[in-house]
Each structure stands twice: as C-alpha cells, then as structure tokens.
C-alpha cells in the first residue's frame, strides 16, 4: 500500500481524463488543494466539472483552470469573487449549477456514504426546488437532492501519515472532508507527511480509507480578505 | 429618530439569550456581536466553527482561520472546528437557535429575498437558504425602505426567494415587526417614529 507520491503531477498520473467530475475541498481560498489544481492545469485535461463551494479568484484556486478554459461546469454555492468566471458564465461558455452550501456539503457526504438521494427543507419554495421531487414528512415539505459521486476528489489537509490518515487545521477543514469521501479516488496534498504512529488515533479527522494518494508540498495559502484590529482597540 | 446601523444591531442583540448558539450574516448583522454584553453567546461561522472570536491583531492573521465572509478572525477558549457537512447538519438539524440576516425584501408571509437580483450579477446563495430553512428563529435586520424610498417590507416579495415563510421577526431602522397570522404586527417603534410613519413605509398588511 504505497500512498505517498513525490509531487502533484505524479499523484495524478493515470487518473485524469477529459470530462471527469472532480470534487474539490476548500472554502473561498481557505484549505484549497492549490498544488493539485496547478498540476491539473498543467496536464491540459479539459471539459471538467467541479463540485466545489467556490470557484477561486482569477489567478488562484479553480480560477487558474477557468483562464485556460478547462472547466465546463461548476456545482457551487457562491462564485462572487471571480471576474473571469462571471465573463464565461454570462457568455454561456460555462455551465453553473447553484447548490445551497449545506446541500452541496450533504450531497458530497451522501455520495461518500453510498446514499444516492436525500430530502431537505433547504430551498423549498425557491428556484432551487424547481423540477425536483417534493415530499411531505410530518406536514412539512421537503425536496429531493442527489448525492455526488465524483470520479476524483482533491483535498488539502495540514498533516497526513503515510497511510493517508488526515488532520486538518482550524477552518481549513471545511469541504475537504465531505469532498474527500465522495471521490472514487481521493488525492490529498498536505503540509507535512509524518510516519505512521505519530498522529494521535483519537484525533484523526479523516481516516486513511478515504485517501488513496498523498503528497507533501509548499502552500501559498493566500488570504482573501485580511481583516485586523489594532492593539490599542483591545 | 429612526435607528442607525449600530442601534439596529443593538436592538437585534436584545433578541439573543444566554446560552444561545447563533449565526450572524454579513453587514449590519455582523455588528450585533458588539452588543451582546455579558450574555453567553456562541457564534457559529458556517464554514466550520463554533465560538468565533474577533478580528486578529495586525500580523497575527492566519490563512487557515476565516469566517463565512472569508475575513480573517480568531478563536476563543470555547472554539470547536468541524467540516462543512457537520456545520450544515447542525444548521439543518435546528441546533442553531437563531440567525440574524440582512435582506433585500421581506413580505407579510415571512418570505425572504436576499440572494439574487435578476439581470444583475448573481454571486450565489452561499449558506443563506440552508440557514433560513434550518435555524430555530430567523431575524431579519435591514433598512425599512430602499434608497429610492420604496418599501422593502412587502405584501409579496418580487425578487427570487431565499426561503418561503421563514422569517419570524423584522428589525428595521423604524422599529420591530413580527410575522403573524394575516400579516405583520408592530412590536416596537424607534423613538420618535409614529405608527403612521411605520405604516407609510410598509407595503405589507399590518395587523393589530
């Protein structure tokens, strides 16, 4: 069981193909698999569908794959920070499936748990519910949402051991856990790979069963909105 | 005098009770955190955190620690982190006592529109639809009228909805209204705002 690869390109070798569905972790630019996205860009693979909460910014995250027109469709809840995304969307070059954030997370979780569909109140009475099955439970209306079964999941964690157990840091966990579980194959990039036995088994956030390949690398970890307070305000 | 942004936030903070877990939206709702006083309130950030702290000091920003508005924040001694599926499970599951959110329009049936203006750039609903469908109580904080003086408190929302029949209470610069059977009930008026002022600025049916 060899899970550790030298770099992002090697970790994706033999996996990428045109038209595939990729689930990506991250929220905004926090906890995004930046090295794997760069390697996907360099591979030239195209017509990709991404299930990802956001679409990055113009020159970082999924944004770099929009610049090269490698993305056909996004399944996202919020795409406001990306001018090139908007241009391609408004010109009809890019498909967009808006999915409420919690529904997107649950669609990934469900896919990973072998659940093809679930009912939720989220979006009832809105455009999101149009065309979806409605069902009443205990007098309340719910809509049917489908699990996401991705061809590939790409995620970013803080630490991994060589068996693929992952530990995340602070709010960088976000979509990485549900995204990882819903991929047929999951590739994780981390800041540090440690030997098995060095992570506390009680503090593993995602067990290695979900993670097939791991790389360690240097991350830029860009901040989208730097907000601070002054010491004297304290 | 109608309330200003800070007075609206302070009034919204009065809705919160000791021990509540609460989600605050972007804009005026964010200011509510400044007015909770001694109450033991835990703020949820739907990207995966309970116990959200203030902005960090300059130089102490952590790219792994942001709120749902993607701003750098800090943690507190009570903080817990979790993934997005868990975060929305607690929202959908009714564990979050209240959400305080901004709005473009609200109507007398409690319908809320705050995510999309047709013909303008659509950024997405983010977690707003999940929040209004799931939390215990939805409190909207917004100006009573738009910049053209037209009411934002309507008989029926004209913009695409975020949720249907989801709003419990509306706090505006003119006062506080509750969504009740048959329309909206005036609960409170800002100092110097008359009932006539309130009715004139409200398109929705006001019931006694």
């Amino acid at each position: 069981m060899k899970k550790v690869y030298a770099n992002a390109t090697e970790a994706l070798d033999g996996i990428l193909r045109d038209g595939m569905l990729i689930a990506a972790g991250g929220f905004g630019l926090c906890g995004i698999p930046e090295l794997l996205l760069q390697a996907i860009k360099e591979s030239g693979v195209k017509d990709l569908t991404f299930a990802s909460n956001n679409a990055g910014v113009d020159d970082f995250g999924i944004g770099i794959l929009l610049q090269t027109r490698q993305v056909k469709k996004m399944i996202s809840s919020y795409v406001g920070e990306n001018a090139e995304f908007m241009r391609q969307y408004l010109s009809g070059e890019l498909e967009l499936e808006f999915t409420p954030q919690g529904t997107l997370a649950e669609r990934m979780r469900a896919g990973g748990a072998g659940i093809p569909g679930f009912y939720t109140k989220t979006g009832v009475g809105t455009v999101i519910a149009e065309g979806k099955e409605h069902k009443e439970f205990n007098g309340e209306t719910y809509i049917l949402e489908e699990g996401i079964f991705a061809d590939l999941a790409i995620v970013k964690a803080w630490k991994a051991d060589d068996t693929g157990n992952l530990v995340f840091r602070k709010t960088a966990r976000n979509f990485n856990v549900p995204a990882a579980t819903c991929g047929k194959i999951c590739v994780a990039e981390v800041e540090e790979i440690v030997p098995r036995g060095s992570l506390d088994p009680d503090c593993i956030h995602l067990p290695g069963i979900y993670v097939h390949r791991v790389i360690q690398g240097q991350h830029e970890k860009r901040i989208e909105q730097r907000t601070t307070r002054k010491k004297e305000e304290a | 005098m109608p309330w200003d942004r800070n007075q609206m936030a302070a009034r919204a903070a009065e809705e919160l009770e000791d021990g509540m877990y609460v989600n605050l939206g972007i804009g005026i709702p964010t200011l509510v955190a400044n007015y909770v006083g001694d109450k033991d309130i835990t703020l949820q950030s739907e990207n995966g955190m309970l116990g959200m702290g203030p902005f960090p000091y300059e130089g102490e920003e952590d790219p792994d620690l942001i709120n749902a508005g993607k701003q750098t924040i800090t943690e507190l001694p009570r903080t817990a982190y979790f993934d997005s599926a868990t975060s929305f499970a607690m929202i959908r599951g009714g564990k979050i006592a209240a959400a305080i959110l901004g709005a473009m329009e609200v109507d007398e049936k409690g319908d809320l529109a705050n995510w999309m203006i047709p013909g303008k750039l659509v950024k997405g609903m983010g977690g707003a639809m999940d929040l209004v469908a799931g939390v215990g109580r939805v409190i909207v904080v917004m100006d009573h009228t738009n910049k053209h003086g037209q009411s934002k408190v309507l008989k029926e929302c004209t913009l695409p909805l975020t949720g249907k029949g989801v709003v419990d209470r509306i706090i505006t610069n003119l006062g506080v209204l509750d969504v009740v059977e048959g329309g909206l009930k005036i609960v409170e008026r800002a100092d110097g705002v008359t009932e006539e002022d309130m009715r004139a600025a409200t398109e929705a049916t006001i019931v006694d």
Side-chain angles (χ1 to χ4, degrees):
Chain A
M1 182 181 70
K2 173 190 174 293
K3 290 192 178 179
V4 177
Y5 285 70
N7 56 53
T9 304
E10 285 186 24
L12 291 168
D13 186 45
I15 297 174
L16 298 176
R17 56 176 173 73
D18 291 350
M20 74 192 309
L21 168 58
I22 302 176
F27 179 90
L29 301 181
C30 179
I32 59 172
E34 52 183 271
L35 305 175
L36 291 161
L37 288 168
Q38 182 63 36
I40 289 170
K41 176 184 173 176
E42 287 160 11
S43 79
V45 70
K46 60 182 192 301
D47 295 327
L48 300 172
T49 295
F50 270 93
S52 169
N53 190 54
N54 311 95
V57 293
D58 282 327
D59 63 342
F60 198 59
I62 290 174
I64 63 171
L65 298 172
L66 293 167
Q67 286 180 342
T68 50
R69 313 286 172 86
Q70 285 168 271
V71 183
K72 182 185 70 178
K73 180 180 175 183
M74 293 293 309
I75 304 170
S76 304
S77 86
Y78 192 84
V79 295
E81 322 299 345
N82 192 317
E84 176 62 15
F85 181 100
M86 280 301 166
R87 196 199 61 72
Q88 290 185 25
Y89 173 57
L90 293 172
S91 69
E93 295 166 55
L94 183 67
E95 266 182 79
L96 173 60
E97 180 182 330
F98 268 132
T99 303
Q101 195 174 137
T103 297
L104 179 60
E106 189 64 11
R107 288 180 64 192
M108 291 180 179
R109 196 200 70 80
I115 297 171
F118 58 92
Y119 292 95
T120 177
K121 260 194 290 191
T122 301
V124 170
T126 76
V127 293
I128 295 306
E130 287 172 10
K132 289 176 182 161
E133 185 198 324
H134 288 55
K135 192 176 167 85
E136 287 215 353
F137 294 90
N138 301 318
E140 292 215 58
T141 305
Y142 295 74
I143 54 172
L144 178 65
E145 294 281 2
E146 294 187 4
I148 290 174
F149 299 85
D151 299 307
L152 166 67
I154 55 171
V155 300
K156 152 79 173 56
W158 182 35
K159 288 183 183 182
D161 68 17
D162 62 297
T163 74
N165 290 319
L166 299 186
V167 176
F168 298 89
R169 189 170 171 275
K170 302 182 188 284
T171 56
R173 196 181 320 182
N174 56 56
F175 274 86
N176 282 296
V177 170
T181 65
C182 80
K184 284 195 197 88
I185 298 177
C186 173
V187 183
E189 58 178 72
V190 303
E191 293 174 46
E192 187 184 5
I193 298 175
V194 299
R196 65 187 71 186
S198 9
L199 297 176
D200 180 350
D202 270 330
C203 296
I204 304 291
H205 297 140
L206 186 73
I209 190 169
Y210 293 108
V211 180
H212 305 91
R213 300 182 180 189
V214 186
I215 59 156
Q216 176 180 313
Q218 289 291 321
H219 291 83
E220 179 186 335
K221 299 215 284 186
R222 194 181 294 186
I223 290 176
E224 200 161 339
Q225 293 212 45
R226 191 177 297 272
T227 45
T228 59
R229 65 192 153 133
K230 293 235 159 40
K231 286 262 186 196
E232 50 271 26
E233 286 175 17
Chain B
M1 279 281 287
W3 290 326
D4 64 21
R5 286 164 59 87
N6 286 302
Q7 288 169 310
M8 288 159 71
R11 178 60 188 81
E14 289 176 27
E15 301 292 320
L16 305 181
E17 292 165 24
D18 220 43
M20 272 189 174
Y21 291 86
V22 177
N23 186 294
L24 302 179
I26 293 165
I28 300 174
T30 305
L31 301 174
V32 174
N34 300 334
Y35 298 96
V36 296
D38 293 337
K39 282 184 280 197
D40 189 31
I41 303 294
T42 305
L43 297 179
Q44 196 226 25
S45 189
E46 67 266 25
N47 53 318
M49 178 185 201
L50 279 166
M52 183 167 46
F55 292 151
Y57 294 126
E58 262 173 64
E60 294 178 8
E61 308 92 318
D62 184 340
D64 289 336
L65 182 44
I66 63 169
N67 63 17
K70 287 138 193 166
Q71 299 169 312
T72 47
I73 49 164
T74 55
E75 64 184 24
L76 299 171
R78 72 178 57 190
T79 295
Y81 298 111
F82 34 85
D83 66 76
S84 299
T86 306
S87 183
F88 283 92
M90 66 182 72
I91 289 169
R92 209 184 295 105
K95 315 300 178 189
I96 304 293
I100 302 180
L101 304 168
M104 298 169 183
E105 293 177 347
V106 182
D107 73 25
E108 63 190 47
K109 297 179 298 300
D111 295 359
L112 168 69
N114 72 352
W115 77 282
M116 176 181 181
I117 299 176
K120 292 211 175 167
L121 283 186
V122 181
K123 294 185 170 188
M125 72 291 286
M129 286 188 180
D130 308 276
L131 279 163
V132 299
V135 302
R137 192 166 156 76
V138 174
I139 299 156
V140 164
V141 182
M142 63 171 196
D143 282 325
H144 212 101
T145 53
N146 64 23
K147 58 176 184 274
H148 307 294
Q150 295 158 325
S151 186
K152 294 169 68 174
V153 184
L154 305 174
K155 287 191 187 305
E156 187 162 10
C157 288
T158 62
L159 296 170
L161 296 182
T162 308
K164 208 166 173 55
V166 294
V167 176
D168 296 289
R169 177 163 277 194
I170 306 161
I171 298 173
T172 75
N173 51 323
L174 300 185
V176 182
L177 301 111
D178 273 353
V179 179
V180 297
E181 195 66 37
L184 303 180
K185 184 177 164 62
I186 299 171
V187 175
E188 191 177 325
R189 285 177 277 110
D191 283 341
V193 173
T194 65
E195 186 170 335
E196 288 65 42
D197 294 337
M198 189 83 125
R199 283 178 183 272
T202 305
E203 188 209 273
T205 309
I206 291 180
V207 298
D208 293 326

